[in-house]
Amino acid sequence: MSSHFNGQPTLLPSDGGGSVWMPGGQMMSYDPQLYQMQYLNTPTATSSMPSTVAMGGMMMQSQQQIAEEACRKREHRLLQNREAAKECRRRKKEYVKCLETRAAMLENQNRQLIEELKALKEIYVYSKVG
C-alpha cells in the first residue's frame, strides 16, 4: 500500500467526508459537518475510542456544547430584554406622570386666565356704562 501512495497523505474517494491515507499506514476520516478528523487505525491504539484531531489549530465544539452555548446566549438575551422592558415601562410611567402634572398646571392656569378675563370684561363694561 505504501508504494501505491508514495509516502504522501492521500485523499481516498468516498461519499460524504473523506478518508485520508497517512504515511506509516494510518487512515484518518474527515467529518465535514463537525470539521474534525479521526484516526481510523493507529498502530499503538490502546483505546477503542477514536482520537479527535484539531482542524486549523482549534478544537471544534461538540453539538451539545454548541446547543448549550446557544441556550445560554438565548437566556442572556431574554434577561437583557426583560430588564430593558422593565426600564422602558418605568420611563413611560415617569413620562405619563410628568404629562399629567403639566396638564393639571395648564388647566389651573387656564381657569385663572378665564377668571381674569371675566374680571376685566366686568371692569370694561362698568367703565363704558358709567
Side-chain angles (χ1 to χ4, degrees), residues 18-65:
S19 295
V20 178
W21 179 85
M22 300 295 286
Q26 293 181 342
M27 293 288 293
M28 298 182 79
S29 85
Y30 170 68
D31 185 353
Q33 295 195 350
L34 295 178
Y35 301 104
Q36 294 180 344
M37 292 184 76
Q38 296 180 337
Y39 286 108
L40 297 178
N41 61 343
T42 56
T44 59
T46 57
S47 169
S48 62
M49 301 272 301
S51 57
T52 302
V53 176
M55 294 297 294
M58 292 176 36
M59 183 63 88
M60 300 304 288
Q61 295 178 332
S62 71
Q63 293 295 331
Q64 183 180 5
Q65 289 172 328

Side-chain angles (χ1 to χ4, degrees), residues 13-114:
S14 70
D15 50 37
S19 295
V20 178
W21 179 85
M22 300 295 286
Q26 293 181 342
M27 293 288 293
M28 298 182 79
S29 85
Y30 170 68
D31 185 353
Q33 295 195 350
L34 295 178
Y35 301 104
Q36 294 180 344
M37 292 184 76
Q38 296 180 337
Y39 286 108
L40 297 178
N41 61 343
T42 56
T44 59
T46 57
S47 169
S48 62
M49 301 272 301
S51 57
T52 302
V53 176
M55 294 297 294
M58 292 176 36
M59 183 63 88
M60 300 304 288
Q61 295 178 332
S62 71
Q63 293 295 331
Q64 183 180 5
Q65 289 172 328
I66 292 171
E68 288 173 357
E69 179 71 12
C71 184
R72 186 189 66 75
K73 284 183 178 181
R74 180 178 182 273
E75 289 297 323
H76 180 70
R77 188 181 71 246
L78 289 175
L79 178 65
Q80 284 184 322
N81 189 36
R82 236 178 269 123
E83 291 172 358
K86 184 178 178 180
E87 177 66 17
C88 183
R89 287 188 297 271
R90 184 196 63 76
R91 284 193 315 259
K92 184 178 179 182
K93 280 183 181 179
E94 185 178 315
Y95 176 71
V96 168
K97 189 175 182 178
C98 181
L99 286 178
E100 289 171 346
T101 303
R102 184 170 178 217
M105 286 175 31
L106 290 173
E107 286 173 0
N108 189 30
Q109 183 182 11
N110 192 32
R111 201 173 311 111
Q112 288 174 353
L113 290 173
I114 290 172

Side-chain angles (χ1 to χ4, degrees), residues 1-8 10 12 21-22 24-27 41:
M1 186 180 236
S2 63
S3 62
H4 179 71
F5 295 110
N6 298 326
Q8 296 294 320
T10 306
L12 302 175
W21 179 85
M22 300 295 286
Q26 293 181 342
M27 293 288 293
N41 61 343

